[in-house]
Amino acid sequence: MKDAYEVINHTLVSLINEIWELEEKAIITEEFKDLTNNDMHVIEAIGLGNGGNMSAIAKKLNITMGSLTTAMNSLVNKKYVERHRSEEDRRVVFVRLTAKGVRAYRHHEDYHRQMTQAILDKLDEKELPVLLKTLDALDEFFTGYSQKEFAQKKDA
């Protein structure tokens, strides 16, 4: 069992680091050289269409409003995002992607599609439920760990 633990642990740590590094190389092309990985994930959280309000996006990214405001200021200055205040409540700020932001979103989305398709191409129908169960367990761990960390920081 220890061998399986070591292999799984090593693979997970390597994958996390490699995905982060490779994603940056894949998505930060000449057209998007002014963006960081974090910028791309903010763009992804804003999404297509009418966008959303700042507090909902901060919650989705699990970051503070201050951190999101800093990121948004940068993305607005780079012309990927536009923001406007609510007519009903001037405290509420809405953001949405510009045409340039939509191109960045689509580029990032394509990278994720290729990554996911590469995995699906290697699996047969019997293997897919095992992968889904494994990914679900990882998601539960990260969600639970994140919530536990947030609660501990809040209590401190």
Side-chain angles (χ1 to χ4, degrees):
M1 185 65 179
K2 187 175 181 187
D3 290 334
Y5 172 87
E6 289 174 4
V7 169
I8 292 169
N9 181 61
H10 174 75
T11 302
L12 286 173
V13 170
S14 294
L15 275 174
I16 289 167
N17 291 331
E18 201 169 322
I19 288 170
W20 188 256
E21 193 175 308
L22 286 175
E23 182 176 48
E24 186 169 10
K25 290 177 184 173
I27 62 178
I28 309 304
T29 61
E30 186 62 28
E31 182 179 5
F32 306 114
K33 65 184 174 191
D34 59 341
L35 291 176
T36 65
N37 251 5
N38 286 338
D39 289 338
M40 279 294 201
H41 290 113
V42 171
I43 287 170
E44 180 181 42
I46 295 168
L48 300 176
N50 292 330
N53 69 50
M54 291 279 286
S55 56
I57 294 166
K59 187 175 181 178
K60 187 186 287 189
L61 291 168
N62 199 24
I63 61 174
T64 65
M65 281 294 290
S67 295
L68 182 61
T69 299
T70 300
M72 284 302 174
N73 288 342
S74 174
L75 289 169
V76 167
N77 288 336
K78 295 174 188 176
K79 310 258 188 272
Y80 288 95
V81 173
E82 55 188 25
R83 69 178 137 206
H84 63 279
R85 292 198 178 275
S86 167
E87 295 297 325
E88 293 82 36
D89 184 347
R90 303 293 292 161
R91 295 170 298 175
V92 177
V93 177
F94 291 100
V95 294
R96 70 174 169 230
L97 300 179
T98 62
K100 185 178 180 182
V102 170
R103 284 194 311 276
Y105 179 94
R106 295 274 190 223
H107 178 67
H108 187 226
E109 179 182 54
D110 186 57
Y111 170 77
H112 281 254
R113 185 194 52 73
Q114 290 178 48
M115 178 177 61
T116 303
Q117 193 60 51
I119 294 167
L120 291 172
D121 289 346
K122 297 280 185 183
L123 299 175
D124 62 40
E125 285 185 31
K126 292 178 184 172
E127 294 169 316
L128 191 56
V130 175
L131 176 62
L132 293 174
K133 184 177 180 180
T134 302
L135 292 174
D136 188 49
L138 280 170
D139 185 50
E140 281 182 29
F141 169 77
F142 287 126
T143 300
Y145 190 84
S146 177
Q147 289 171 348
K148 185 175 82 176
E149 286 294 308
F150 179 74
Q152 286 175 351
K153 287 179 183 176
K154 190 176 174 184
D155 293 339

